[in-house]
Amino acid sequence: MSSLLEVPPYTADRRDEFLRQMHELHRLHLDGCASYRRFADVTTDVSESEDLPYVHVGLFKRVLLQTDSPGLTHERVLKSSATSSGVSSEIRLDKTSSELQAASTLAIFQDFLGREPRPLLILDSPRSLRTRGEMSARIAAALSLRPLATELSFLLDDASDPGSMKWGALEEVLESSQRLMVYGFTWILWQAWAEQRFPESIRSLLLGKEVHFVHSGGWKKLENVAVSRQQFEDTLLDGLAPGSKVIDYYGLVEQVGIIYPLCEHGYRHVPAWADVLVRDPYSGESVTDRVGQLQLMNVLARGAPYHSVLTEDLGRVVSGTCECGRPGKRFELLGRVPKAEVRGCANV
Amino acid sequence: MSSLYYFQRGERTIAARLAYDPSDLVAAWASLRSKMTRRLHPDFTRDEWAYLIAFLDEKSLLAPVYSTFGEFAKTQSIPHEVYVPRGSIAVWLPNNVSLLGPLVAILLSLTGQPARYKLGSRAANLVGAFLNFAAIETENTQLREYIDERTECLFLDRGDDRIDKLVEGAAVRMVFGSDEAAGSVHAKSKSPTSVGFSFVDKHSEAWIDYNHMNDASLSELIKIFAIYGRAGCTSPKRIVLLNSSRAEAEEFRGRLLDMWPSIIADDVDPHHASDNVMACQWALANGWNASLVARNKAVIALGNMQLEPAESHLCMNIVSCSLDEALEYLPTNTQTVGYCCSPSSHGEWLSRLSTTKIHRFVPVGKMHHFNHVWDGQDFWAGCFQSIEVA
């Protein structure tokens, strides 16, 4: 277990230890992953996070990166949803990292949701679980909440059909619990829950319940149908008990285990076992005062070099202390690098 | 109302029934050049606009007319052959298509035959944009009349019923796209007398003789590559460096890296800059010796034919090899081989390449030049059929 995971997630003054562990990871991947070694061989010691090499997020769609080392047991491949490019990122998961990642997400979620377990309702289909050796990002995200759950219920009969709600399963949970969690991809949470026409019996059971909605996956589809964050949250929380809330978190399959929930003041906080840098898209330099591409780092990734990933998400590191009280680094997520059409002939 | 126009090809007199005088059409197109030099159309990049200006050269535009019919005849005599239009032309252009649309439209206008351009719903409509621009700027000309009355852009997605009608009504079908798209269009119910042209997935590459290259030829190579990266059918997807040692190939790569920023001043789009970072890592992971051009403008990678290339938009893959190896690895769907070599190498390369299926062997700087013979097919002449006169 990383010593960083033994402290609360939002803790200042652990940078030296973080850098030391990142260095160890970099060495592990250099030794165990030939592909990584070919492009990331930094021979001199580095004194700052920004000096450590990164893997571009798109590389996980082109090259299956795997680090082999004594004691590392590779288990499954985690696949992204491939919604925009049609090609999935593939992350080789290993046993040790999976344990660290589970501990990481649990600690972060507990900071935002509290420690008391409650039923978890997942807006997905159990069939999504049944692919041997592979796991979709959606299911992985849902299951990361499992340690906080007393029981799991998959609410959709068909993962691609938000109308396929299993009312019986929902009713059963509502009848027995006053507090619960609901997880779904942002778009599915909107379609399958916020826009859902609940039967009257279910609606009355929901009234006054304390519900924590957790969602991830991004706002693009909701922006396309002109749904604002305020409208989204107001619709979800309508009629629920005080203490109900909506947690929007940012995470990538290429950074599995590290999630960045949006705090009540609109920022995302960096846990002690992670770091976030912003890089200029043209010079590659780390910048602190402006928007650029986010580089996400963590000390959990052993089975493949996804410990330091340059994303195509745009963000800005924000200085000062957040009013929410969480110490350490914070940032704003500001969308994605805009894509221009590639013009050519037909054979791109 | 069409008329017969007379041409002379050697001893033979050719007549062609044309709706418009090709000289008038060409003059109207050429008249746009001075206006275009003053103002860049917002839908086009600077490179695209410059290419269009060059393309509208009067002499070049008349090339398909001369090639098909001959020179304009000074006197009329009984023709040996009469060319008549086949009729309505339908052109399929894929979503990401570039200048091909406007270029085809310009050339087809000279046939005088009605032309309908089928674009995808996501396509940037460069054909429509350019025809609109031309119509506005050529008032009271036959070209304006042709554009207004005989051209149409249709935004149709696969599965749209109107595609069947478009095929049924076309005397000439021209499909730019994938093998699958072309096969699907030509398989539809159509007139038995109609003709079809397919311009499908193609590969192109540039062959450089290390001993013949200099800063000017490197500059030309950079410019040609930077226009569309690897995305065009005429884009050099691979640079084949001949007659070089490994050390010389490294030096070649280094010179390209050094020169690039001064040749291509503008930054690429941010997502291309990011994609280049990925491509550089991809190439390195695959065993290429790759580096990013300053400000992430491109990737220049040196490897060999056996290495898997980084198939990324602005990743220039250079392979140093022998002529035998270059021929062995030349894909069967190669359209253009651009060359930079000495006259003696030119003869040898051409001789060896004539045993392959390539369609064009042109200087590197002319790789993107489009004309009425494309992929070995004279589509302009194909818009006519001839009546033999005895």
Side-chain angles (χ1 to χ4, degrees), chain B residues 263-278:
Chain B
I263 306 293
I264 307 296
D266 292 343
D267 277 336
V268 295
D269 289 325
H271 101 266
H272 282 140
S274 172
D275 199 53
N276 289 338
V277 173
M278 183 281 297

Side-chain angles (χ1 to χ4, degrees), chain B residues 19-20 25 29 89 104-117 131 141-152:
Chain B
Y20 302 96
L25 292 173
W29 280 120
I89 304 165
V104 169
I106 293 165
L107 292 183
L108 291 183
S109 73
L110 305 180
T111 70
Q113 296 170 45
R116 305 172 89 190
Y117 298 89
L131 290 176
T141 64
Q142 291 197 357
L143 177 59
R144 169 68 181 261
E145 186 185 316
Y146 170 80
I147 293 170
D148 285 348
E149 295 178 8
R150 295 193 168 213
T151 64
E152 188 180 7

Side-chain angles (χ1 to χ4, degrees), chain B residues 323-335:
Chain B
L323 182 57
D324 285 342
E325 203 179 4
L327 286 158
E328 184 189 340
Y329 282 89
L330 190 73
T332 51
N333 67 335
T334 300
Q335 183 215 48

Side-chain angles (χ1 to χ4, degrees), chain B residues 56 60 66 104 146 183 208 226 244 261-262 277 287 325 346 376:
Chain B
L56 292 177
S60 307
Y66 291 160
V104 169
Y146 170 80
I208 313 287
S244 80
S262 60
V277 173
E325 203 179 4
H346 182 280

Side-chain angles (χ1 to χ4, degrees), chain B residues 332-358:
Chain B
T332 51
N333 67 335
T334 300
Q335 183 215 48
T336 300
V337 172
Y339 65 80
C340 168
C341 62
S342 64
S344 62
S345 292
H346 182 280
E348 186 189 5
W349 293 3
L350 182 56
S351 166
R352 301 286 301 274
L353 281 166
S354 65
T355 63
T356 70
K357 304 282 188 199
I358 69 162

